[in-house]
């Protein structure tokens, strides 16, 4: 790279030094060459761990280390005793530990790939001039010498010297610490010793444009940027653990302490009753490990990741995993109107012809003539794509008229050819109207369009009094109304001024337009209401327009208020706190208003989702519990501040995301309930048996096999359960509600007791009927394994399985089939010998199968009699 102080030189000197072309930019070939030379425009990330490092990290858990230590001790004892059979147990323990470590590495790699994919979806882009054409490219592909365009809302993609600017301001607090945006000027001369904050003719990577527009030449990329020089301070990745995961990790530690205490008691009881030290040692250690759901945090991560991928398919990109949990608690959604609740496309709704109203759909020649005249007085255009969609270019009201004319068969091209424009007076804010002169068949026609109040005084013919009544009626319906006046002239007046041209018009009629509500938004609002979520419209539009749209969508209901930003400014915080629950529409609001609204709702202990697309929306997006940026119209700054980006700018997508969030949280509760219930059952089984019979009903390797087979596979599949139909008929989850709320904690303990009673009964029956301890352990192993597999189906819903369908979760079906096959592998093959199992009489297998099905009947009866209530 050329070594020079770019800010201390003129724009032309910088362009020359970088061999850059102001007018055409770099060629694609030159850009590729420089990309190879300078590297990608990205900051270096922390070096990723190798698979070996990840593998070794899996052994940092204390309980895993205890298990490894137990295996080593077992190896040593087997070696000393010279018993070949004794080697099987430590080998199995090590095999399970290694398999768990491999699974951990695979899960970590998958999560990293998913994260990289999401980073790619939300990666910043840049507008760059290449080969003489303006293009949108990934910011990572920028190189020194590229000419970039910037406007309010953009992140600056690289350090750059300004070539031209208009009212430019840049937020540089990340670099300079200045809280106020810095004013920029491409023509400002800057001394060579100027501090970073004084380089007014430069913009810097990672900062944002808050006002104005500019063109600039890239001077540094990647680690060579000012941000790159301090990248070491910024390279630390944020903690991706969600609050729920932290709670579960703490729960695991507490269970660990309880398990160790149980092990200590069992160890003492075993020694006092003459049980061999090795046996009681291995039983104690395996009990401790089986009591702790080590895989729970990993499974929760998998469930969250699956949910994030589901949301991507539904047009919502989640930037932070905790947002998935928070979504399930959303109780207020503050949404913008334009494009989110509406179609973001003005549409011609009504036409009034001088003397009589005429519906657009009638297709009358008079209606067509009115729209034709209006279209000729429009500069907007509509182009039609190959897929049949239309692209509107220009003022939305004009493109609505042009599109309506097209629907009548009058394309813009045909109209321009038949009525060529020979003169015009452009729209200006003082006159509030526009006029053109067109020629046809030797006649010259003046067409003027604008607000009715501006057109009516210019008309000498036509029923303007009736027109005023209709205009007011249309305005009350929130339509944007344009009046059309025409007159025929013999020759263009000289000079061509409004006073000479826009006079003695004939009032032709009125056109009423509106940005119509999205059909799906209306349904989504109804779903919100049913789900206990309050929809609130916050918009910069007029209060009349906003109220009309809000009423049609069901947001503004009887008794609700619609207020303006000015009225909000006049309220004290206390007055707003008293009023906020009554207001459904805020119109003409400022960014400061949005933050006040969010905080007022949060004071009511509500979880607030807020949509936004502009630079000024960023503070409100950050203040909200869930910030939702618009993917189509949203600025980079808004997307950076948000937790979620809507790729279709659709209110219905927010509601879908809330539904997914609730479903994900429900699935996590199911997984937690399943894993803890089964683990508590195992602990109680071994602990009680040791106290009653001084014998373990399950050997350490049997316990480990049960945990590997009956916990992990069904638990992961349970986390993939589809979102239940009734999830959006439930009230939002309170902010501080624990995962064991609604009786889940009590149910987990009772389910653990149920597993223990079944296993102990099986152990006693097997031991008594076979006369051998191995017989009791075999029947207990079978019963505990299969009953936990059955329990996975029970945990799918608080509703009866007969209502939701036994086998509607295909992934769970496959996981449970695999688990049953692995249990059968140990029960009915030669593997049973090293596992300490024996062949039983057929009637005992039937008893074991019957005991395994008991959880199904118990849970179904509990659901039927309301002991397990469906959350409402």
């Amino acid at each position: 790279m050329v070594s020079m102080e770019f800010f201390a030189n003129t724009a032309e000197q910088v362009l020359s030094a970088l061999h850059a072309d102001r007018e055409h930019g770099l060629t694609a070939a030159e850009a590729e060459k420089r990309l190879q030379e300078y590297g990608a425009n990205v900051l270096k990330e922390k070096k990723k761990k190798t698979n070996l490092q990840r593998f070794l990290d899996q052994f940092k858990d204390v309980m895993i280390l205890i298990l490894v230590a137990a295996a080593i001790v077992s190896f040593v004892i087997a070696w000393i005793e010279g018993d070949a059979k004794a080697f099987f147990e430590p080998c199995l323990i090590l095999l399970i530990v290694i398999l768990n470590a491999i699974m951990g590495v695979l899960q970590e790699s998958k999560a990293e790939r998913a994260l990289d994919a999401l980073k790619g979806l939300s990666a910043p882009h840049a507008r760059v001039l290449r080969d003489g054409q303006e293009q949108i490219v990934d910011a990572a592909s920028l190189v020194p010498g590229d000419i970039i365009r910037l406007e309010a809302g953009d992140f600056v993609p690289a350090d750059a010297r300004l070539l031209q600017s208009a009212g430019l301001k840049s937020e540089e607090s990340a670099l300079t610490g200045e809280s106020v945006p810095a004013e920029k000027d491409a023509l400002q001369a800057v001394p060579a010793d100027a501090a970073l904050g004084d380089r007014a003719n430069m913009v810097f990577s990672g900062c944002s444009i808050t006002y104005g527009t500019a063109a600039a030449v890239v001077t540094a990329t990647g680690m060579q940027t000012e941000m790159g020089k301090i990248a070491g301070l910024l390279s630390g990745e944020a903690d991706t653990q969600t609050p729920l995961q932290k709670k579960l990790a703490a729960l695991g530690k507490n269970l660990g302490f309880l398990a160790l205490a149980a092990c200590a008691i069992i160890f003492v009881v075993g020694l006092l009753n003459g049980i061999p030290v090795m046996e009681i040692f291995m039983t104690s250690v395996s009990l401790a490990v089986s009591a702790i759901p080590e895989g729970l945090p990993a499974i929760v991560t998998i469930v969250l990741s699956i949910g994030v991928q589901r949301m991507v398919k539904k047009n919502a990109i989640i930037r932070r995993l905790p947002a998935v949990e928070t979504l399930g608690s959303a109780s207020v959604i503050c949404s913008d109107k334009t494009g989110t609740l509406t179609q973001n496309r003005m549409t011609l709704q009504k036409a009034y012809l001088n003397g009589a109203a005429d519906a657009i759909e009638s297709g009358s020649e008079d209606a067509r003539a009115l729209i034709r005249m209006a279209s000729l007085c429009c500069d907007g255009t509509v182009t039609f794509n190959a897929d049949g969609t239309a692209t509107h270019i220009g003022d939305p009201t004009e493109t609505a008229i042009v599109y309506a004319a097209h629907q009548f068969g009058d394309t813009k091209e045909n109209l321009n050819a038949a009525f060529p424009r020979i003169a015009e007076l452009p729209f200006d804010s003082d006159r509030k109207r526009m006029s053109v002169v067109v020629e046809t068949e030797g006649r010259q026609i003046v067409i003027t369009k604008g607000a009715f109040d501006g057109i009516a005084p210019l008309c000498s013919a036509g029923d303007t009094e009736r027109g005023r009544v209709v205009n007011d009626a249309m305005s009350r319906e929130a339509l944007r109304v344009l009046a059309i006046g025409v007159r025929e002239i013999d020759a263009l007046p000289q000079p061509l001024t409004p006073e000479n041209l826009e006079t003695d018009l004939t009032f032709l009629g009125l056109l009423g337009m509106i940005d119509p509500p999205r059909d799906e938004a209306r349904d989504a609002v109804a779903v919100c209401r049913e789900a206990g979520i309050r929809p609130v419209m916050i918009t910069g539009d007029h209060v009349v327009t906003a109220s009309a749209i809000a009423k049609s969508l069901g947001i503004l209901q009887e008794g609700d208020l619609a207020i303006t930003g000015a009225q909000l400014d006049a309220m004290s915080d206390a007055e707003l706190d008293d009023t906020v629950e009554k207001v459904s529409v805020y119109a003409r609001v400022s960014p400061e208003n949005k933050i006040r609204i969010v905080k007022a709702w949060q004071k009511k202990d509500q979880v607030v989702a807020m949509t936004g697309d502009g630079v000024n929306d960023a503070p409100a997006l950050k203040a909200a519990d869930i910030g939702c940026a618009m993917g189509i119209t949203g600025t980079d700054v808004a997307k950076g501040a948000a937790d979620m980006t809507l790729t279709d700018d659709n209110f219905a997508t927010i509601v879908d995301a809330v539904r997914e969030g609730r479903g994900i949280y429900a699935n996590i509760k199911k997984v937690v309930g399943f894993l803890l219930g089964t683990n508590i059952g195992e602990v109680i089984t071994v602990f009680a048996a040791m106290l009653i019979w001084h014998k373990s009903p399950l050997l350490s390797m049997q316990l480990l096999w049960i945990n590997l087979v009956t916990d992990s596979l069904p638990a992961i599949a349970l986390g993939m359960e589809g979102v239940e139909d009734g999830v959006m008929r439930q009230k939002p989850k309170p902010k501080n509600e624990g995962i064991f709320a609604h009786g889940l904690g009590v149910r987990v303990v009772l389910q653990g007791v149920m597993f223990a009673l079944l296993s102990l009964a099986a152990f006693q029956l097997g031991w008594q009927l076979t006369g051998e301890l191995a017989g009791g352990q075999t029947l207990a192993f079978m019963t505990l394994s299969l009953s936990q597999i059955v329990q996975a189906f029970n945990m799918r819903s608080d509703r009866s399985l007969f209502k939701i369908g036994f086998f509607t979760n295909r992934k769970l079906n496959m996981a449970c089939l695999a688990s049953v096959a692995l249990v059968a592998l140990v029960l009915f093959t030669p593997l049973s010998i090293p596992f300490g199992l024996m062949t039983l009489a057929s009637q005992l297998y039937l008893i074991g199968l019957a005991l395994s099905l008991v959880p199904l009947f118990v849970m179904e009866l509990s659901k039927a009699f309301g002991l397990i209530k469906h959350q409402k």
Side-chain angles (χ1 to χ4, degrees):
M1 183 181 292
V2 178
S3 178
M4 69 182 297
E5 299 290 0
F6 297 105
F7 59 87
N9 290 270
T10 66
E12 294 305 322
Q13 288 172 328
V14 173
L15 288 167
S16 176
L18 292 170
H19 303 291
D21 186 330
R22 181 197 291 261
E23 300 299 326
H24 299 91
L26 300 176
T27 64
E30 178 63 20
E32 181 61 32
K33 178 183 174 184
R34 294 191 186 192
L35 187 62
Q36 297 299 322
E37 180 181 353
Y38 297 118
N41 178 34
V42 293
L43 299 181
K44 287 184 180 176
E45 296 183 348
K46 289 190 298 185
K47 188 177 179 181
K48 291 183 179 180
K49 292 180 180 180
T50 64
N51 285 334
L52 178 60
Q53 288 173 319
R54 289 177 181 169
F55 182 78
L56 295 176
D57 282 346
Q58 307 300 317
F59 295 88
K60 290 182 179 179
D61 186 272
V62 174
M63 301 312 295
I64 294 294
L65 290 176
I66 291 174
L67 197 58
V68 172
I72 293 172
V73 171
S74 182
F75 260 121
V76 171
I77 293 174
W79 181 271
I80 293 171
E81 293 179 353
D83 184 358
K85 292 182 180 178
F87 282 105
F88 180 78
E89 190 164 340
C91 284
L92 178 64
I93 294 173
L94 287 178
L95 176 64
I96 289 174
V97 168
I98 291 170
L99 283 174
N100 278 334
I102 291 171
M103 285 180 66
V105 170
L106 292 174
Q107 289 166 5
E108 194 174 321
S109 299
K110 185 176 180 181
E112 188 176 84
R113 286 195 299 273
L115 186 60
D116 288 341
L118 288 177
K119 283 181 180 177
L121 283 172
S122 55
H125 292 80
R127 286 190 299 158
V128 63
L129 187 64
R130 286 186 181 164
D131 291 319
Q133 300 290 323
E134 189 172 297
Q135 305 172 20
I136 303 295
V137 300
D138 287 339
S141 68
L142 288 182
V143 295
D146 264 326
I147 307 298
I148 58 174
R149 311 285 190 195
L150 299 168
E151 63 182 25
D154 290 343
F155 273 120
V156 181
D159 286 4
R161 170 65 161 87
L162 295 173
L163 301 176
Q164 60 189 58
S165 61
L168 194 70
K169 292 183 181 181
S170 176
E171 169 58 63
E172 297 180 345
S173 58
L175 281 176
T176 65
E178 291 289 338
S179 58
V180 178
E183 294 188 5
K184 298 292 181 178
D185 185 353
L187 301 178
Q188 177 128 3
V190 178
D193 60 352
L196 191 65
D198 296 327
R199 299 173 189 174
N201 56 17
M202 296 284 295
V203 287
F204 301 102
S205 175
C207 300
S208 59
I209 303 301
T210 60
Y211 192 80
T213 60
V217 58
V218 173
T219 57
T221 58
M223 297 303 290
Q224 300 303 312
T225 62
E226 295 297 331
M227 189 66 78
K229 294 173 184 176
I230 58 171
L233 301 175
L234 306 173
S235 61
E237 287 289 336
D239 183 12
T240 56
Q241 266 206 327
T242 71
L244 177 61
Q245 286 173 301
K246 291 174 183 176
K247 288 178 185 176
L248 294 177
L251 175 65
K253 288 180 182 178
N254 293 333
L255 283 174
F257 289 126
L258 289 173
L260 288 174
C263 290
I265 295 171
I266 288 174
F267 198 82
V268 171
V269 170
L271 289 177
L272 292 175
N273 287 277
I275 299 174
V277 174
M278 184 59 194
E279 182 181 336
I280 192 64
F281 174 76
M282 291 305 298
T283 300
S284 300
V285 171
S286 59
L287 174 62
V289 175
S290 66
I292 303 170
E294 308 100 337
L296 189 55
I299 290 172
V300 168
T301 302
I302 291 171
V303 174
L304 287 171
S305 299
I306 290 168
V308 167
Q309 294 302 320
R310 279 183 186 171
M311 289 185 187
V312 169
K313 293 175 183 176
K314 294 190 175 181
N315 301 315
I317 299 173
I318 303 294
R319 295 182 67 248
R320 302 179 183 93
L321 275 184
V324 179
E325 293 172 31
T326 313
L327 272 168
S329 304
S331 54
V332 177
I333 300 178
C334 297
S335 175
D336 187 21
K337 175 182 73 68
T338 305
T340 309
L341 292 165
T342 62
Q343 297 176 17
N344 197 24
R345 194 187 76 191
M346 293 299 289
T347 304
L348 194 57
Q349 295 283 317
K350 287 189 176 181
Y352 167 74
L353 307 173
N354 182 36
D358 193 344
I360 296 292
E361 293 80 5
S362 71
S364 72
E365 186 54 39
D366 287 340
R368 179 177 179 181
L370 172 64
I371 296 168
R372 181 190 303 129
M373 289 294 106
S375 181
L376 287 167
C377 192
C378 291
D379 290 327
T381 60
V382 178
T383 59
F384 292 87
N385 308 313
D387 60 359
T389 58
T391 300
H392 293 235
I393 304 168
D395 182 81
T397 52
E398 291 197 339
T399 60
I401 295 170
V402 172
Y403 184 79
H406 185 279
Q407 297 301 97
F408 273 103
D410 291 324
T411 66
K412 185 77 170 174
E413 295 77 10
N414 291 344
L415 286 175
N416 288 339
F419 299 85
R421 185 183 298 186
I422 59 175
E424 66 179 289
L425 290 174
F427 175 89
D428 69 49
S429 55
D430 293 329
R431 289 164 40 244
K432 291 185 171 56
R433 57 183 178 268
M434 171 186 179
S435 293
V436 299
V437 181
V438 298
E439 191 171 33
T440 178
E441 299 176 352
R443 296 180 300 137
Q444 294 183 359
I445 302 173
V446 178
I447 309 170
T448 303
K449 79 173 190 326
F452 178 81
D453 289 342
I455 298 292
L458 307 177
C459 295
S460 58
D463 189 353
T464 54
E465 289 304 314
R466 173 64 181 159
R468 185 177 303 281
V469 173
V470 175
N471 176 76
D472 292 345
M474 284 187 180
S475 297
R476 285 194 296 273
E477 294 177 29
L479 296 177
R480 185 175 297 178
V481 187
L482 288 178
I484 312 298
V486 299
R487 78 170 171 129
E488 193 170 324
I489 59 175
D490 297 324
L492 288 176
Q494 297 297 330
L496 191 66
T497 64
E499 292 76 18
N500 291 337
L501 191 67
E502 298 171 343
T503 183
D504 200 24
L505 300 174
T506 296
F507 175 59
L508 196 61
L510 300 171
L511 296 176
M513 286 150 286
I514 196 169
D515 180 10
R518 290 177 182 260
D519 291 334
E520 63 272 26
R522 189 176 289 104
D523 296 335
V525 168
V527 171
C528 278
R529 294 283 186 186
E530 190 175 22
I533 301 170
R534 175 72 177 273
V536 177
M537 180 188 288
I538 302 180
T539 179
D541 214 334
H542 293 283
V543 68
V544 174
T545 305
S547 297
I549 296 292
K551 280 181 182 176
S552 70
L553 289 170
I555 292 175
L556 187 64
Q557 298 189 329
E558 192 69 33
D560 290 349
L561 300 178
I563 66 173
T564 64
Q567 291 172 301
L568 182 59
D569 287 332
M571 290 183 185
S572 66
D573 286 344
E575 288 173 328
L576 178 58
D577 290 344
D578 292 338
T579 310
V580 68
E581 292 179 307
K582 304 172 188 174
V583 182
S584 290
V585 176
Y586 296 87
R588 289 297 196 211
V589 293
S590 67
E592 293 75 19
N593 292 151
K594 290 187 176 184
I595 295 175
R596 285 190 70 196
I597 295 165
V598 168
K599 291 186 175 177
W601 275 112
Q602 288 173 331
K603 285 180 186 176
K604 304 286 185 182
D605 286 329
Q606 302 296 319
V607 177
V608 183
M610 162 70 78
T611 69
D613 58 5
V615 178
N616 292 336
D617 291 327
L621 292 174
K622 277 197 170 182
D625 297 285
I626 309 152
C628 308
M630 302 295 105
I632 298 173
T633 60
T635 60
D636 289 338
V637 174
K639 294 173 188 175
D643 303 293
M644 178 170 77
T645 299
L646 309 179
T647 58
D648 60 356
D649 291 11
N650 192 342
F651 179 81
T653 299
I654 307 173
V655 180
D656 281 343
V658 171
R659 182 176 181 273
E660 285 292 336
R662 289 188 176 189
I664 290 164
Y665 189 79
N667 284 349
I668 290 172
K669 288 187 70 171
K670 294 169 189 175
V671 170
V672 171
F674 171 68
L675 289 176
L676 293 187
T678 56
N679 283 37
I680 288 172
E682 292 167 16
V683 172
I684 295 175
T685 299
V686 176
F687 187 74
M690 291 296 292
L691 292 178
I692 297 170
W693 297 295
H694 310 310
K695 295 289 184 183
S696 175
L698 294 159
L699 300 178
S700 56
M701 67 184 88
Q702 294 167 0
L703 278 171
L704 289 166
W705 189 261
I706 289 172
N707 274 291
L708 176 69
V709 171
T710 63
D711 280 7
S712 299
L713 294 177
I716 292 172
L718 197 57
M720 298 180 188
E721 183 74 27
V723 181
E724 290 195 61
D725 292 337
V727 75
M728 290 303 279
R729 290 193 289 273
Q730 300 170 5
K731 299 301 178 189
K733 176 176 71 70
K735 265 186 179 180
N736 301 317
E737 180 179 289
I739 195 166
F740 295 108
H742 304 288
L744 180 61
V746 174
R747 281 159 49 195
V748 165
V749 173
L750 291 177
Q751 287 164 22
V753 171
M754 174 180 66
F755 289 129
L757 291 174
L758 291 172
S759 301
L760 291 171
F763 175 63
Q764 171 66 14
L765 281 172
W767 189 4
Q768 185 176 351
L769 295 176
T770 62
E772 296 185 41
L773 181 62
Q777 291 171 334
T778 301
L779 195 56
F781 171 79
M782 176 185 174
T783 301
L784 186 57
S785 299
L786 297 182
S787 62
Q788 291 185 3
I789 294 171
V790 170
Q791 182 65 6
F793 285 94
N794 289 328
M795 293 301 294
R796 288 183 55 204
S797 176
D798 293 336
R799 294 189 179 92
S800 169
L801 282 172
F802 293 97
K803 290 183 178 179
I804 67 169
F806 268 84
F807 303 112
T808 47
N809 183 340
R810 294 183 62 188
K811 290 184 174 64
L812 183 62
N813 299 340
M814 298 302 293
C816 290
L817 278 175
S819 295
V820 170
L822 289 170
V823 170
L825 182 70
V826 173
L827 279 174
F828 303 116
T829 71
L831 273 178
S832 62
I833 297 171
F835 269 89
L837 303 173
M838 61 177 285
T839 302
L840 302 176
S842 56
Q843 60 265 35
L844 284 179
Y845 288 124
L846 290 174
I847 290 172
L849 184 60
L851 290 172
S852 301
L853 293 174
V854 168
L856 175 62
F857 295 103
V858 170
M859 295 293 283
E860 284 297 317
L861 287 172
S862 299
K863 293 172 184 178
F865 288 101
L867 300 176
I868 296 176
K869 294 182 180 178
H870 186 66
Q871 186 183 343
K872 295 182 180 178

